[in-house]
DNA sequence: CTGAAAGCGCTTACAG
DNA sequence: CTGAAAGCGCTTACAG
């Protein structure tokens, strides 16, 4: 009941059309080798029969799946799924399909997921979930001979194309923006040090502070977790430990939101008493009653450019790895 | 430079181990037909060589890909990606892989994406993006003979398994919760009428109101868009048109957030002047300074149960379609 | 412009 | 317990 009839195959179409299998193949792929009238008839019959070529057979024969994989640590995180949207659009334009895998945290799962893609499922991989110390994973995938691109996060020194933004400069810019309002008691609440982008942002914050002859009042404990509960605790601890803090530079919008909530709970006015900045430009940072000042990362563009780089590699380009740095947007909101 | 050596194939492993291809195949799949010592040697050599079986070849031969597809209208929407997480976990336990496709809005794209999955990429499909009037799409996919499951949203009357919650009862419950506080001037801000869940929720709201001898003060214009800008406009229009409204029952948390923001802008206190309820139980509804009262939908569970139903169909079960109704959670917050 | 044939890398009855 | 062989559904030189 549930399933229709058997799936028709190419030879069924050939028989129905009274031509050879080769003719059908040529007709469907738009190759020469079959007359326009015959081609039209074949196409009609194929549609009538509901013929759908087997990707397995085609892939086995051609060695290409015309599919690229996108590996996400957390498919629930819009920061990365925005990249997926850009990737899907760019891939579609090139006749490729994007399949997304939710791999969860941890290098083992990353490797496992990647290996199933490597089994020919996919012609190349977009990697997003890299930690700075994931060299081993990346090296293993490289050995497997599948083209790889790093999206945003990266492994230090890995000889693999990368596309992202200049987080350090972004951090510098938004810190300079806050300092320009005359605040001097500034704290930093960065993400985990193990991620390349988190580290770079904090470096940028520090450089801007140093330029004004300052340093963060909560050094050196500026790195930490970004999950909502952890971030909330860090925010509250900070405000309690440094009652006179005038500005908090955050490594991400979620941390900034935590600080905002904590300020409201403690009765500190924002941005009157405390200025707060985020990073990423996430949706939730802009939809609340108070828009968070942030650095907006061009996530869809990163995905799209990643696909372009990847398809170049899939087509056999083996020139040296490139770094593609994209522009970001400094977006002042209501919190600074 | 970019690619490693050629990928080893099964026959390479066989040669290196000095056995037949069949022996390797049996050893890798854990089938009997090869002794334990030989099996161990084969496994070792396969690992040494970095052998990774071709999914294409295996799929072509067996007619199974051990992969299931999840079609998302918007991969950026956490409501649906939460289902993906549940699906991934359930599938992994069963030895299946989940690949997610972002199809965007519109039935054409849905069909196109589904067809590429049907080409053998995937053994079955989890559908999330259905509108009530998508019968044509669903019928076409059914014809193609691929097992299908509807997640949450559904096509009325389609003979396909479905898993979700009782939105009507959920709507009734949260409306009753608000009415129990004595409010009588109640408005409804529902989602688009074209989606089964939106319609059911509104029906539930109305029934609860009717039970108290009431009806929404803004009837019959209770349905509308849920994108942030549209929802914001609807919220503002409502508050302006009905200055004495005491409660707003919303079809989703994003709408509820819009109403909350509009209330703050207009200086109405929440929940003092206006009670607000959402629906879904999304993360952002709970992380702001004010938690939105909502109905929490068990999204991961829906994904997991969807996978179970699907794998049953993949294994050939063709019993009549089932509806699987899961429990939800009424979660009062700070807005009611 | 068309058809017959080989082969992509596996799995799985089938003989030994 | 092991090996030789057929075949999954395509694509693509190669002859006609």
């Amino acid at each position: 009941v549930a399933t229709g009839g058997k799936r028709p195959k190419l030879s069924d179409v050939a028989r129905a059309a009274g031509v050879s299998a080769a003719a059908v193949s040529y007709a469907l792929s738009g190759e020469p080798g079959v007359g326009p009238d015959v081609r039209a008839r074949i196409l009609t019959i194929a549609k009538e029969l509901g013929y759908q070529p087997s990707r397995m057979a085609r892939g086995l024969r051609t060695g290409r799946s015309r599919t690229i994989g996108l590996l996400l640590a957390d498919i629930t995180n819009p920061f990365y799924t925005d990249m997926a949207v850009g990737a899907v659009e760019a891939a579609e334009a090139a006749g490729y399909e994007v399949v997304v895998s939710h791999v969860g945290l941890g290098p083992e799962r990353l490797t496992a997921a990647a290996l199933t893609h490597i089994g020919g499922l996919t012609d190349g991989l977009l990697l997003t979930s890299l930690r700075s110390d994931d060299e081993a994973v990346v090296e293993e995938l490289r050995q497997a001979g599948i083209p790889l691109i790093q999206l945003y996060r990266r492994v230090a020194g890995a000889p693999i194309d990368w596309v992202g933004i200049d987080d350090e400069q972004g951090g510098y810019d938004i810190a300079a923006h806050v300092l320009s309002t005359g605040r001097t008691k500034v704290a930093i609440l960065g993400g985990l040090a193990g991620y390349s982008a988190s580290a770079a942002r904090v470096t940028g914050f520090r450089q801007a502070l140093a330029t004004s002859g300052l340093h963060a009042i909560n050094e050196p404990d500026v790195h930490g977790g970004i999950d909502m509960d952890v971030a909330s605790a860090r925010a509250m601890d900070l405000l309690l430990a440094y009652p006179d803090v005038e500005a908090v530079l955050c490594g991400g919008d979620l941390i900034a939101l935590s600080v905002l909530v904590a300020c409201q709970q403690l009765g500190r006015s924002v941005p009157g008493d405390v200025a707060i900045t985020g990073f990423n430009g996430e949706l939730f940072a802009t939809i609340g009653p108070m828009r968070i000042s942030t650095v907006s990362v061009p996530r869809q563009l990163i995905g799209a450019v990643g696909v372009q780089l990847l398809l170049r590699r899939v087509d056999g380009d083996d020139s040296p790895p490139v770094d593609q740095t994209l522009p970001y947007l400094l977006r002042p909101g209501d919190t600074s």
Side-chain angles (χ1 to χ4, degrees), chain A:
Chain A
V1 174
T3 63
K6 298 241 73 58
R7 279 183 44 198
K9 44 193 179 184
L10 186 139
S11 62
D12 295 326
V13 179
R15 188 168 341 101
V19 298
S20 70
V24 177
S25 179
Y26 291 137
L28 292 170
S29 62
E31 297 284 306
V34 67
D37 41 345
V38 181
R39 161 164 300 159
R41 204 176 76 249
I42 290 173
L43 260 28
T44 307
I45 292 182
K47 179 161 295 181
E48 262 169 25
L49 263 40
Y51 172 70
Q52 205 49 35
S54 157
R55 292 176 82 91
M56 295 279 156
R58 179 178 283 174
L60 179 57
R61 177 61 230 242
T62 63
R64 286 288 174 79
S65 64
R66 295 198 78 80
T67 299
I68 65 186
L70 172 60
L71 265 33
L72 259 34
D74 179 9
I75 197 176
T76 261
N77 184 341
F79 185 74
Y80 288 101
T81 48
D82 279 342
M83 296 182 195
V85 173
V88 167
E89 286 167 3
E92 187 181 17
Y96 273 73
E97 195 77 14
V98 175
V99 299
V100 179
S101 287
H102 166 83
V103 304
L105 277 343
E108 318 74 28
R109 288 281 294 122
L110 211 202
T111 308
L115 288 181
T116 99
H117 281 263
I118 286 173
L121 218 198
T122 247
D123 293 338
L125 244 29
L126 262 15
L127 267 22
T128 65
S129 313
L130 268 13
R131 294 170 47 101
S132 302
D133 55 0
D134 273 343
E135 304 97 341
V137 178
V138 166
E139 190 49 34
E140 185 173 352
L141 299 183
R142 251 168 47 79
Q143 299 291 357
I146 191 172
L148 257 30
I149 304 286
Q150 305 180 99
L151 252 39
Y152 208 84
R153 285 187 188 165
R154 68 186 311 171
V155 171
I160 301 179
D161 294 338
W162 167 86
V163 47
I165 69 160
D166 185 342
D167 283 286
E168 193 173 310
Q169 185 66 46
Y172 184 96
D173 287 357
I174 197 159
H177 159 73
V178 167
L179 293 174
S180 74
T181 63
R183 323 243 174 182
T184 56
K185 297 195 174 57
V186 181
I188 293 176
L189 244 30
L192 291 168
Y195 294 105
S196 55
S198 296
R201 292 172 184 182
V202 166
T203 302
F205 294 158
R206 284 175 174 153
Q207 283 177 354
L209 287 169
T211 301
S212 298
L214 301 172
H215 64 269
I217 57 176
N218 62 327
E219 290 283 6
D221 299 321
V222 302
H223 283 289
I226 64 165
D227 288 334
M228 200 59 200
D229 46 348
V230 176
S232 297
R234 291 177 66 201
M236 191 54 84
D237 289 350
L238 178 80
L239 293 176
L240 261 21
Y242 303 93
D244 56 346
V245 63
E246 298 169 345
V248 185
L249 305 171
C250 302
D253 292 332
L254 204 52
I255 306 178
L257 182 61
S258 301
V259 177
L260 177 59
V261 171
C263 281
Q264 295 181 342
Q265 289 170 343
L266 295 177
R268 315 254 182 110
S269 83
V270 176
D273 298 334
V274 184
I276 305 171
T277 65
F279 213 114
N280 286 347
E282 310 232 31
L283 181 65
F284 68 77
T286 68
I287 61 173
M290 192 162 232
R291 291 168 306 134
I292 294 171
S293 298
T294 190
V295 174
S296 183
V297 175
R299 293 165 297 228
Q300 293 202 10
L301 187 59
I302 288 174
V305 171
V307 166
Q308 287 169 5
L309 293 178
L310 183 58
L311 292 184
R312 197 175 302 170
R313 297 300 182 186
V314 168
D315 287 340
D317 177 358
D318 61 352
S319 53
V322 302
D323 281 359
Q324 190 80 253
T325 304
L326 268 20
Y328 55 84
L329 211 65
L330 184 63
R331 215 165 58 190
D334 307 317
T335 60
S336 66

